Every structure is written in C-alpha cells, then in structure tokens.
Amino acid sequence: MSSFYLDSSQTGSKKSSDSLFTVAETEECDFSKLSEKPRFLHIDRERQKSFDERSFNDLATGYSSPRLSYRADNSSSVRLCDHVDSVLLSPGRRSGINTPRSHSSLDPHPMMGEAWEALRRSLVYFRGQPVGTIAALDNTDEHLNYDQVFVRDFVPSALAFLMNGEPEIVKNFILKTLRLQSWEKKIDRFQLGEGVMPASFKVLHDPIRNNETLVADFGESAIGRVAPVDSGFWWIILLRAYTKSTGDMALAELPECQKGMRLILALCLSEGFDTFPTLLCADGCCMIDRRMGVYGYPIEIQALFFMALRCALLLLKQDTEGKEFIDRIVKRLHALSFHLRHYFWLDAKQLNDIYRYKTEEYSHTAVNKFNVMPDSLPEWVFDLVPNYGGYFVGNVSPARMDFRWFAIGNCIAILSSLATPEQSVAIMDMIESRWDELVGEMPLKVCYPALESHEWRIVTGCDPKNTRWSYHNGGSWPVLIWLLTAASIKTGRPIIARRAIELAETRLLKDAWPEYYDGTRGRFIGKQARKNQTWSIAGYLVAKMMLEDPSHCGMISLEEDRQMKPVVKRSASWACFV
C-alpha cells in the first residue's frame, strides 16, 4: 500500500521505498498573486456576460426555461408556475442570475444552530489554516478513514461556507488538493495518470518534530483499491462554484489551476477504443465506492463528467492550450448529450419500445442499437415507471441496461442541464409520483430498488455492508437532500424540497446526524452508519440556505444551452452526428 506525504519540515528531497513515498513540501506553488482574502473583482458587464452566458460554441450560457408538464410522448405543455416576474429578488450579492427568491421566508429552525456548531467542529487545519472538514466526528474505529478530508464529501461543506460568506476555507481546500495532484502516484508499482485527484487526505501532527504532514490517498487505501474518478470532476465543479459565489476570477486564472484542470481533462478526454462518448469506469469509482454493479458507464460519473466539462468551458482561459481543450470539450459535449439523452432515458413510451425490441439487428439502421434483450427487463421496472415521468437509467452498454434509479446521476443531470427542460420536469414528476419508494421517511434513496438474494450475491460479491436496503444498496442518505433541493428549485418545484427537509428535520438531529438510514422507507439508522457525519450536516445546511435564498442555487446550477441540439445525420456509423 502506498501513501503520499506532504511534509512541512523537510527540504526538497523525495524519498521512496517499496511501500512508502515521502514528499517534502519545500516550495508552495507561486500563490503570492493571491492576497490573504479573495480578491473580488469589479466584473464589467461584458466580462460578466462572458462568464455567465457562454454557450458550447460561442461560450454563452444562461436563460431561464419555463416550468413544463412532462408527457411520455415527449410533448410538453406549460404548467402553472410561480409568477417569476413579480417575485422579489434577493438583495445583495447573488449566486445566480435571475433566480427568484422563495415566496415565503423560512423561520430559522433550531437545528440550524446545532448544525453550524457541528460543522465547525469538523474543520481540519494545516499550518493554522482551515483546509477541509473530516468525514465524521464519530471516528470510533481507527482502521476506518472517517477522520480524513474527502474531496466529494467536502463539496456540501464548501457550499455551506460559500453561502455563509466564508470562502477562505474553500480557496485553501482547492489549492491544497491541487498541490497534492502534482505528486507522483503509484499503486503496486503502477503509476496513475498525472491528473488524478486524491480521494482524500489527512493531516498528521508530529509533536516531536513540531511539524504537520499531509497524507493523500489516491485509491491505494480504498475499498477495492479503485482510484476516484469523481474527485477531479467535483474539484472543477467546486472551483466554478467558488468563482460564481465570490466573483473572484483570480483563483481560477492561476496558471496552476489552469494546469490542474487541463490534466483532469486530458485524462477523461483521451482517445481510445471506445465507440461511445461516455466514460468507461470500474466499480467503486464514485460515491458508491464498493462493488455494486455500476461498472461500465454509470450515470453518476457521466452526469458529473458532463457538468465538469461545462464548468471547464467557463473557467479555461482562451490561450493556446486552453483553446485546444475548449475545442475538444465542445465536440465531446455534443456527442455526450446526444448519447445520454437518447439511450439512457427511460419513460413509459421508451419502456414499451424496449419491451417490443427485436434483437440481433445489424447495421446502422438497427433500432435496438445495444442489442438489449427484452427478457432482461426486471418485473419491478413496469411498476416503477409512471405514466407521466421518467429518469436516466443507471448504465447502458452492449446487451445491458441497468434500470435502477440512481439519485446523484439524475439530480446532477438536472443541475448541469444534461437533462432537457422536459426531462428535468419528468424526473421531478417521477420523484413525486414514487415518493414512498424514493424518499419514504428519510430523503433520499441513493439507488432503487435494492439487490436481493442471488442477485445480491452475484453483483456485490456477498458484500455484508451492502445488504438489501442498506448503505449503497437501497439505503437512504440525508446528504442527498441538498441535491434534491437544488433540482427542485431549478425546476420550479420548491415544495418538493420543503417537504423533504421537513421529513429530515423530524429525525436528523435527534439521531445525531447519521451517515445513512436502512429499510425500504428509511426508518432505521444504518446498521454500520457513523454518527455526526459531516456531509449529512452540511447537506442539510445547504438545502435550508438554498430554500431560503434560491439565488444560491446558481453556484451549482447551469442553465440549458441554446445550441444543445445538433443536427443528427446518419451515415455508415450510427454514432456520426454533428
């Protein structure tokens, strides 16, 4: 097992052994351009437009889409919506553009104060500066890694601090993880890609030498020893959230940040043998970090991939290197949006089409392009898919469709505008119509339904933690409430978020902020759930602050691009389109 250290006491040498790499932090990157506090630029109208209204082709994005009612025949009608033109916009600095404030101001809940106190107790300091939050304060087992700062876990904490006007910790986190990205990464003598971001890091205090050391994990210590594909995507998304919240372009424009983005993009945009624009991934590469049958093209990674690419378009400088990546991103986004919207989407009409699929079709004229067998349709999917509503399925690859619902992928699809306005409404319709199954008594099911019996043994490898309706296998995760809230606000359905938050408020504090809940309705605290889980705390805070001031949603939401629908042309290959 390899570990990677950033040591504040050593001077410039890099030591290595068969199992240990010790790296001295002798010189920080030249961050002297940044003052101690973020530099808030007076962005003129043209610059503001260039950042907020760039599309894929001309780097212009941003307009508000109407609230629609979804129908499975892909038609849509305008639904009764909030009178956006007449609502009061939130005063002061805003996180979004033309984002309406909620009609009624929420009274502060007693849980808010408790949550903020708990979140601040989770802060991790390096050289006297806050650099992140540990995964959980309930670290009773020293063999587990809940005392570390995880990139994905820190995202809701970062958003909470940004919404509260405390961006310094977020800047520190971005710079520290960027520094860790630059170190050589080896697992069992195999060198990882240069752009891989760490899954987590830990601060070690040495009272004898009077120094502090950062220890980074790039997957060599993880369950299954899988590198985190999502960390780099979350890093780019968080960099955009910081820039959007503060108006401080200096951080993203640092040569070091620009290089960090390009290294991440070089990894995921590399050419290979794939005939699909989606990103091929192993099991355990994302939040679901154990074997759960998500290998291939999991929707969580594809949605994060899509969102990170869009955020990178807004952040990359228009220099020689930046333009090269911008061109590659634009082409990939067009292909990726087409592929996911057409082949990952499931509603009543598409389900019936699959039910009637012919198999063994050949040539570009094939309808069943992935040779999916109709007999592979699970019985439960016919009851899950409502007449009005739909969702992005978990995975699509040759002869395989994973019909499970995955919350993160579908919520990120809405926030990134991977989902069309009609599809976004359909996802929210799906959540409303299947509330008992997907929300129950504690928001929100990370996936649905659970794997059971023989299927559980085969798919999970008899994983004792991912038993049915527990942990990743149909467990309910309170942290997901912030994603549900953001998606609800973006689609003009804040009542869904309010209902979910009220459910959480009945139990979260009383149950000491568990990591997850078990059972078909999320009634029971998870059998191995950690208490005082930081992202459960932060997810609640972010959800409450977004509902109070919906303009905060602009940090994490991207509007539909006007040029997202390229003309599709068929040729000798079904995938040829421009």
Side-chain angles (χ1 to χ4, degrees):
M1 174 175 70
S2 301
S3 298
F4 300 82
Y5 291 84
L6 196 60
D7 192 335
S8 62
S9 68
Q10 300 183 26
T11 56
S13 62
K14 185 183 295 182
K15 299 179 181 180
S16 64
S17 66
D18 287 342
S19 61
L20 181 67
F21 291 87
T22 304
V23 182
E25 183 183 55
T26 56
E27 297 181 10
E28 293 285 353
C29 297
D30 184 12
F31 298 140
S32 58
K33 306 167 193 172
L34 293 179
S35 59
E36 289 299 316
K37 294 183 179 180
R39 179 161 57 96
F40 297 97
L41 305 180
H42 298 289
I43 305 175
D44 59 26
R45 292 184 180 180
E46 194 62 32
R47 181 63 179 278
Q48 186 69 40
K49 179 179 180 181
S50 70
F51 184 80
D52 288 320
E53 298 181 3
R54 292 181 286 176
S55 73
F56 291 164
N57 291 328
D58 61 6
L59 302 184
T61 171
Y63 71 91
S64 298
S65 56
R67 183 177 173 189
L68 306 171
S69 178
Y70 180 81
R71 295 293 182 268
D73 60 0
N74 293 326
S75 66
S76 60
S77 60
V78 177
R79 198 175 190 175
L80 290 176
C81 65
D82 300 331
H83 297 285
V84 174
D85 295 334
S86 64
V87 299
L88 294 176
L89 301 180
S90 61
R93 191 177 77 244
R94 294 165 47 77
S95 303
I97 296 178
N98 299 328
T99 311
R101 187 178 177 85
S102 56
H103 287 285
S104 59
S105 180
L106 300 177
D107 294 329
H109 194 279
M111 279 176 59
M112 291 286 286
E114 297 278 356
W116 271 113
E117 288 182 16
L119 183 60
R120 295 193 189 282
R121 286 197 303 271
S122 73
L123 283 170
V124 173
Y125 292 82
F126 181 69
R127 295 183 178 181
Q129 291 187 326
V131 293
T133 52
I134 61 174
L137 291 168
D138 180 26
N139 187 42
T140 57
D141 189 341
E142 63 180 13
H143 297 294
L144 297 180
N145 53 6
Y146 286 83
D147 62 343
Q148 298 188 24
V149 180
F150 281 81
V151 172
R152 75 173 69 95
D153 290 41
F154 180 68
V155 171
S157 295
L159 294 176
F161 285 116
L162 288 174
M163 292 176 187
N164 204 45
E166 302 177 63
E168 192 71 15
I169 181 178
V170 182
K171 183 182 75 173
N172 293 339
F173 173 86
I174 289 170
L175 294 177
K176 273 291 171 274
T177 48
L178 180 64
R179 181 66 172 163
L180 292 170
Q181 181 202 36
S182 66
W183 301 128
E184 184 182 62
K185 300 170 279 286
K186 284 187 178 180
I187 298 178
D188 291 336
R189 303 182 183 181
F190 179 76
Q191 187 165 322
L192 276 67
E194 190 179 1
V196 174
M197 278 286 181
S200 64
F201 64 85
K202 182 177 181 178
V203 178
L204 295 182
H205 302 271
D206 186 345
I208 298 176
R209 300 173 61 188
N210 192 28
N211 73 346
E212 292 179 333
T213 304
L214 285 182
V215 184
D217 175 19
F218 292 89
E220 75 277 8
S221 300
I223 298 293
R225 304 303 187 262
V226 177
V229 177
D230 62 339
S231 287
F233 298 151
W234 279 122
W235 188 88
I236 294 175
I237 292 166
L238 186 56
L239 179 60
R240 186 261 177 185
Y242 172 89
T243 306
K244 184 74 170 177
S245 173
T246 64
D248 176 22
M249 297 290 296
L251 179 62
E253 290 180 348
L254 278 176
E256 294 81 6
C257 280
Q258 291 290 311
K259 180 181 178 181
M261 276 191 290
R262 292 196 302 267
L263 288 174
I264 295 169
L265 295 169
L267 273 180
C268 60
L269 293 174
S270 60
E271 297 177 352
F273 288 96
D274 257 322
T275 57
F276 314 134
T278 40
L279 199 62
L280 184 62
C281 301
D283 245 330
C285 64
C286 53
M287 179 208 171
I288 298 178
D289 59 1
R290 303 164 75 95
R291 181 176 165 188
M292 270 289 292
V294 300
Y295 63 89
Y297 306 92
I299 186 60
E300 176 177 337
I301 289 297
Q302 311 313 319
L304 285 171
F305 180 30
F306 182 89
M307 189 168 194
L309 290 179
R310 290 203 62 191
C311 288
L313 273 185
L314 301 173
L315 298 170
L316 285 169
K317 295 176 70 174
Q318 294 271 355
D319 54 19
T320 303
E321 292 178 301
K323 285 182 179 179
E324 178 186 348
F325 277 96
I326 286 171
D327 291 340
R328 293 171 66 185
I329 290 171
V330 168
K331 293 176 182 177
R332 190 64 167 263
L333 282 172
H334 281 307
L336 190 61
S337 62
F338 177 90
H339 185 90
L340 293 171
R341 289 175 177 181
H342 284 73
Y343 302 121
F344 276 65
W345 182 251
L346 186 70
D347 56 23
K349 179 182 181 300
Q350 179 66 7
L351 179 60
N352 195 72
D353 289 344
I354 296 172
Y355 179 71
R356 292 169 50 82
Y357 265 169
K358 296 178 180 179
T359 61
E360 308 302 324
E361 293 183 297
Y362 183 73
S363 181
H364 62 277
T365 59
V367 175
N368 184 4
K369 292 181 171 56
F370 296 93
N371 200 36
V372 174
M373 306 298 167
D375 288 344
S376 69
L377 283 164
E379 290 296 327
W380 53 261
V381 75
F382 295 98
D383 294 325
L384 180 65
V385 177
N387 289 331
Y388 303 121
Y391 66 101
F392 289 97
V393 298
N395 220 314
V396 176
S397 57
R400 179 193 180 207
M401 288 188 75
D402 183 348
F403 293 95
R404 286 177 293 175
W405 149 274
F406 288 88
I408 296 179
N410 278 274
C411 288
I412 292 293
I414 292 175
L415 296 176
S416 65
S417 289
L418 165 60
T420 65
E422 294 83 2
Q423 288 174 333
S424 296
V425 169
I427 293 170
M428 301 311 296
D429 286 344
M430 170 89 173
I431 293 172
E432 276 194 314
S433 62
R434 297 294 180 259
W435 186 267
D436 287 344
E437 293 90 342
L438 303 181
V439 180
E441 297 182 26
M442 177 55 66
L444 177 67
K445 291 290 183 193
V446 67
C447 76
Y448 183 90
L451 301 170
E452 302 184 65
S453 304
H454 180 67
E455 187 179 20
W456 165 79
R457 289 190 289 271
I458 295 298
V459 174
T460 73
C462 300
D463 189 344
K465 195 166 185 177
N466 274 329
T467 54
R468 64 177 186 169
W469 306 114
S470 180
Y471 202 49
H472 300 137
N473 191 16
S476 299
W477 292 70
V479 62
L480 300 180
I481 198 170
W482 80 264
L483 284 165
L484 177 62
T485 299
S488 300
I489 291 171
K490 183 173 182 180
T491 54
R493 313 274 278 273
I495 189 64
I496 294 177
R498 187 170 293 113
R499 183 181 175 190
I501 291 172
E502 288 173 355
L503 272 177
E505 286 176 338
T506 63
R507 298 187 58 190
L508 270 182
L509 179 59
K510 180 180 65 176
D511 295 339
W513 309 99
E515 180 183 14
Y516 63 95
Y517 286 79
D518 286 351
T520 56
R521 293 178 55 83
R523 291 181 59 196
F524 308 102
I525 297 175
K527 59 186 176 182
Q528 296 187 43
R530 292 281 154 177
K531 299 292 186 69
N532 296 304
Q533 186 81 14
T534 303
W535 71 354
S536 296
I537 297 165
Y540 167 74
L541 285 172
V542 172
K544 288 287 283 189
M545 286 190 283
M546 276 195 293
L547 201 56
E548 170 64 18
D549 184 355
S551 72
H552 287 314
C553 190
M555 290 185 202
I556 202 69
S557 174
L558 299 168
E559 292 303 318
E560 173 78 3
D561 190 275
R562 303 183 185 188
Q563 301 184 35
M564 275 294 296
K565 298 180 179 180
V567 177
V568 179
K569 296 182 179 180
R570 298 294 181 184
S571 68
S573 170
W574 66 268
C576 285
F577 52 94
V578 296

